[in-house]
Amino acid sequence: MPGPQQRGPRRPLSVRGSRPAARLGGNSRLRIGVGRVLLIGALLIAGVKLVQVQGIQADELSLQAQKQRTTPIDIPAERGSILDRNGNQLAFSIEVRALYILPQRARKTWDEAHAKDAEKYPGTYDEHAREVAKFISSTLGPEVNGEKTDEETVYQQLVKDISYEVLVSEAEPAKAAKIVEKFPTEIGSEYRSKRIYPNGELASNIIGAANWRQEEKPPTVQGILGLENAQDNVLAGRTGRRVVDTMSGDDTLVIPNTERELVKPQPGKSLELTIDIDTQHAVQKIITDYTKKTGAKNGSAVVLDSRTGEIVAMANDKTYDPTDFGKASEDQKRNTAVAYSFEPGSVNKIVTAAAAVEYGLFKPGDVLQVPGSIKVADRVIKDAWNHGTVPMSFTGVFAKSSNVGTLEAAQQVGQERYAEMLQKFGLGRRTNSGVPAEEAGQVPPLGQWSGSTFGNLPIGQGLSMTLLQMTGMYQAIANDGVRIPPRLVRAEIGEEGARSEKQRPDGVRVVSPETAKTVREMFRSVTQSDPRDANQNGTGKPAAVPGYQIAGKTGTAQQIDQACKCYSQSQYWTTFAGILPADNPRYVVGIMLDAPSGAQSAAPVFHDIATFLTQRFQVPMSAEQTPYVQLQL
């Protein structure tokens, strides 16, 4: 049998032909492997980022998102009240609400809701606006504090093609809440405050004015004039904070009913003044009527408590409505009692009297030979009435208001001691009473006195003072020689009625108690009346009050004629300062009339005010009537 066939020799593996199919399969596995690695890497990165976003950065990103949809807004604090010394309100705030709408947004919201559910949101937006306007008008009435809220006016506001519209600025909170509850998606309510002055123009020159200032950041009631402005930091309190949702792109457009409170505001403190509301009312009427009667340009009156220096009343003939102060003139807004300096005239003679008695130069009964005129440097000064040399008691010099006799006494006092006495009486410096806009007056420094200066100052010319300063001089004499700087603010009242009384200013010793008593007794003769002998009459007879000893002084000072830059012969300041009662002082009253017509005296004003004070505060009558004193021998 033939043997098996023999095969040719086998090729080595190294030279075998390629296997394309096998190589393709290997590359695919490689790519798959690489892809898997990349996919796992991407998942790992995404996982890490997710952990970072949801864990590590969650609070930060949440806060950023919150900021994008909310806006922080300050909440104004409730403003403190202003009270008189007995707790009667002179100024206080009430809460009101501004009702507003975002008309364009309201229309869009209604149209979208109507398209989804016409049965629930029937009719057009304009028809819906009619319903809203009708409800608002019926709730508020046709007008709110001068703003029209009748149905047609409100409707026209609702359908305006604008982003924001205030419907009413001062709605009652309860009525505003009723409207917002009825239409919460359309109408928004915004807190506002309104300043109330229950006594109208009474004491407006002191209290001033405050109103809601929408342009402030945050909007708030801000003091504009007077005490409201000067004490704004005390009255205003501390603002709170809330957040609201606002329209995209405009942080001023608050979406209704999205407010959330964060920090509560801290209310402002109330101010208790030294003013007595009844006395203020009476004094304001008296000075207003008398200023009008005499044709004076201005008139002011001040009442001080003689023992404490507290301002019981401070009134001017011109006042204004603090709720409409924009219509007031500068004269109406000015507190003439402190913001107007004038030459006091003979009222200033009390400085000479006090100095002469204090330094032991004269006694009340000492007799002076008083000529009809006296020469001081290049000036010749006369008395208001013509006379030759007449003997006058030292008391009579002041009771009859002799310029010549006063200058004779002043020359014995001397310039240096006289200048020192002016300082002790507080002249030339603000009293720091707390009354806004107070002037300092003007007293020439001793080093600048000319030869004739000492012929002017003792008779109340060549220096100026405010009415409050002038009244304060007599308070020192009434208070046994101690001048208590006047004050207006008695206490601050915080939350829950916590009362913090203001520290009383320290007194300034002007003269001794004995000197003060002697001067008071001398100046009682100013109101003396002798029907048998006119030479024994004082210049202030009309100031007398039956049953009470009155010490005081009249004054008449020439004003400057701007045409000649010299003293006018027809324009005067007329003044009076008096102590009630002189034997047991309780009150001091100062009066100033600016250029009254004719030879008008301010003494009758004192009589009327003093009479009221005796009744209002039940001032006991004097134990005895003023003794009769011979003024001219």
Side-chain angles (χ1 to χ4, degrees):
M1 291 181 62
Q5 288 183 329
Q6 298 291 323
R7 294 181 180 176
R10 298 178 64 182
R11 291 180 297 175
L13 291 175
S14 61
V15 295
R16 288 180 181 177
S18 61
R19 297 180 180 179
R23 286 198 300 271
L24 286 173
N27 290 338
S28 176
R29 284 194 295 271
L30 178 63
R31 286 196 296 272
I32 291 172
V34 171
R36 287 174 178 172
V37 170
L38 294 175
L39 179 60
I40 292 171
L43 290 174
L44 287 172
I45 292 172
V48 170
K49 187 65 176 178
L50 185 61
V51 171
Q52 184 180 24
V53 169
Q54 294 185 344
I56 300 174
Q57 295 181 331
D59 291 342
E60 180 182 352
L61 293 174
S62 177
L63 182 60
Q64 290 178 357
Q66 186 75 1
K67 287 182 178 179
Q68 290 173 356
R69 65 185 179 87
T70 62
T71 300
I73 294 180
D74 289 326
I75 308 173
E78 181 182 352
R79 190 174 182 85
S81 301
I82 299 177
L83 315 170
D84 85 335
R85 66 191 299 125
N86 300 310
N88 296 304
Q89 290 184 318
L90 301 173
F92 63 94
S93 295
I94 61 171
E95 178 182 341
V96 294
R97 294 283 173 165
L99 294 176
Y100 66 91
I101 187 171
L102 311 179
Q104 292 173 340
R105 181 180 182 275
R107 181 181 291 276
K108 180 181 178 182
T109 301
W110 179 268
D111 290 345
E112 291 174 351
H114 175 74
K116 292 179 180 180
D117 190 347
E119 184 175 344
K120 185 176 180 181
Y121 300 95
T124 65
Y125 173 75
D126 287 355
E127 292 171 336
H128 176 63
R130 282 288 181 189
E131 179 187 353
V132 176
K134 183 177 181 180
F135 185 81
I136 291 175
S137 182
S138 64
T139 303
L140 298 179
E143 184 178 299
V144 177
N145 295 322
E147 293 181 288
K148 290 184 177 181
T149 50
D150 59 275
E151 182 179 335
E152 183 60 28
T153 297
V154 174
Y155 170 75
Q156 293 300 329
Q157 292 175 299
L158 297 176
V159 298
K160 284 184 178 179
D161 187 19
I162 57 177
S163 59
Y164 177 83
E165 176 75 357
V166 175
L167 303 175
V168 61
S169 301
E170 297 178 354
E172 293 179 24
K175 293 181 178 180
K178 183 178 179 181
I179 293 169
V180 172
E181 183 181 4
K182 178 75 171 177
F183 301 104
T185 60
E186 294 92 345
I187 307 301
S189 174
E190 184 179 81
Y191 169 88
R192 292 192 181 179
S193 181
K194 182 179 181 181
R195 202 64 169 164
I196 302 296
Y197 299 93
N199 303 290
E201 297 186 4
L202 184 71
S204 60
N205 308 91
I206 300 173
I207 299 167
N211 64 6
W212 182 262
R213 312 297 287 186
Q214 187 66 24
E215 70 277 8
E216 292 296 316
K217 301 297 181 183
T220 185
V221 172
Q222 187 177 67
I224 307 300
L225 298 170
L227 205 61
E228 292 272 31
N229 176 262
Q231 296 284 340
D232 194 61
N233 289 339
V234 175
L235 293 164
R238 188 180 303 167
T239 57
R241 175 62 65 93
R242 63 175 174 158
V243 293
V244 297
D245 291 343
T246 54
M247 293 290 287
S248 177
D250 191 341
D251 289 344
T252 64
L253 300 183
V254 179
I255 297 174
N257 302 301
T258 61
E259 299 88 349
R260 286 91 73 194
E261 187 174 77
L262 297 180
V263 179
K264 289 185 177 181
Q266 180 177 327
K269 294 181 179 179
S270 294
L271 297 178
E272 180 186 292
L273 306 187
T274 59
I275 297 294
D276 174 69
I277 191 172
D278 291 338
T279 304
Q280 179 71 26
H281 182 273
V283 173
Q284 191 162 307
K285 185 177 188 308
I286 290 168
I287 193 64
T288 299
D289 291 348
Y290 198 76
T291 301
K292 183 178 180 181
K293 176 182 176 181
T294 61
K297 296 178 183 177
N298 300 290
S300 299
V302 169
V303 179
L304 297 180
D305 185 307
S306 63
R307 300 165 184 169
T308 65
E310 292 180 342
I311 301 170
V312 180
M314 175 181 286
N316 306 289
D317 72 298
K318 295 179 178 62
T319 55
Y320 61 93
D321 180 358
T323 63
D324 196 14
F325 60 86
K327 295 181 179 179
S329 66
E330 290 304 312
D331 277 348
Q332 287 176 299
K333 290 185 286 189
R334 180 175 62 179
N335 186 354
T336 309
V338 297
Y340 179 70
S341 299
F342 57 91
E343 297 190 8
S346 296
V347 169
N348 198 54
K349 290 175 181 176
I350 198 168
V351 179
T352 299
V357 174
E358 180 76 356
Y359 295 125
L361 301 174
F362 291 93
K363 295 179 180 179
D366 289 350
V367 178
L368 289 76
Q369 298 298 322
V370 182
S373 64
I374 186 172
K375 187 173 183 180
V376 180
D378 59 345
R379 286 197 63 203
V380 175
I381 295 96
K382 299 180 179 180
D383 280 334
W385 73 102
N386 293 323
H387 64 83
T389 299
V390 294
M392 292 185 189
S393 66
F394 188 57
T395 297
V397 166
F398 301 100
K400 295 177 68 65
S401 201
S402 170
N403 294 333
V404 177
T406 301
L407 290 173
E408 286 184 327
Q411 287 176 344
Q412 294 200 40
V413 171
Q415 295 187 15
E416 291 186 1
R417 290 194 296 193
Y418 185 84
E420 181 183 0
M421 191 61 71
L422 288 174
Q423 291 183 350
K424 288 182 177 180
F425 272 111
L427 301 181
R429 302 187 304 273
R430 291 182 179 87
T431 68
N432 294 322
S433 62
V435 183
E438 182 180 0
E439 290 188 359
Q442 193 272 333
V443 175
L446 180 59
Q448 297 179 12
W449 289 12
S450 65
S452 61
T453 300
F454 203 42
N456 283 335
L457 300 182
I459 61 174
Q461 302 259 200
L463 79 169
S464 65
M465 61 185 69
T466 67
L467 180 59
L468 183 59
Q469 289 174 318
M470 187 188 88
T471 312
M473 295 169 63
Y474 282 72
Q475 180 275 327
I477 298 301
N479 191 42
D480 289 335
V482 177
R483 177 173 59 84
I484 308 293
R487 65 170 180 159
L488 174 64
V489 179
R490 203 179 195 185
E492 294 179 0
I493 302 174
E495 291 186 85
E496 299 181 358
R499 188 174 183 274
S500 175
E501 184 155 347
K502 304 290 284 186
Q503 184 176 359
R504 293 189 179 188
D506 295 332
V508 178
R509 171 63 67 184
V510 179
V511 294
S512 69
E514 294 76 19
T515 294
K517 183 174 185 293
T518 298
V519 172
R520 286 200 306 270
E521 291 175 347
M522 288 171 54
F523 278 52
R524 293 180 304 187
S525 298
V526 169
T527 61
Q528 179 171 293
S529 177
D530 187 342
R532 300 166 302 174
D533 184 358
N535 289 325
Q536 308 307 324
N537 289 341
T539 58
K541 294 185 299 177
V545 178
Y548 295 89
Q549 293 186 14
I550 302 297
K553 186 71 189 77
T554 55
T556 304
Q558 293 172 290
Q559 297 189 7
I560 298 295
D561 186 335
Q562 296 301 325
C564 64
K565 303 299 180 183
C566 60
Y567 280 115
S568 171
Q569 299 301 313
S570 60
Q571 297 289 302
Y572 301 89
W573 286 291
T574 300
T575 55
F576 189 93
I579 299 169
L580 168 74
D583 55 329
N584 184 24
R586 287 282 306 279
Y587 299 101
V588 180
V589 181
I591 300 122
M592 185 279 297
L593 298 172
D594 182 2
S597 60
Q600 300 285 350
S601 169
V605 182
F606 176 87
H607 169 272
D608 293 348
I609 294 175
T611 299
F612 173 84
L613 292 172
T614 62
Q615 298 169 357
R616 166 69 175 138
F617 299 104
Q618 299 182 346
V619 179
M621 287 188 177
S622 297
E624 59 181 21
Q625 293 303 300
T626 301
Y628 175 84
V629 176
Q630 193 165 8
L631 308 179
Q632 181 174 320
L633 284 69

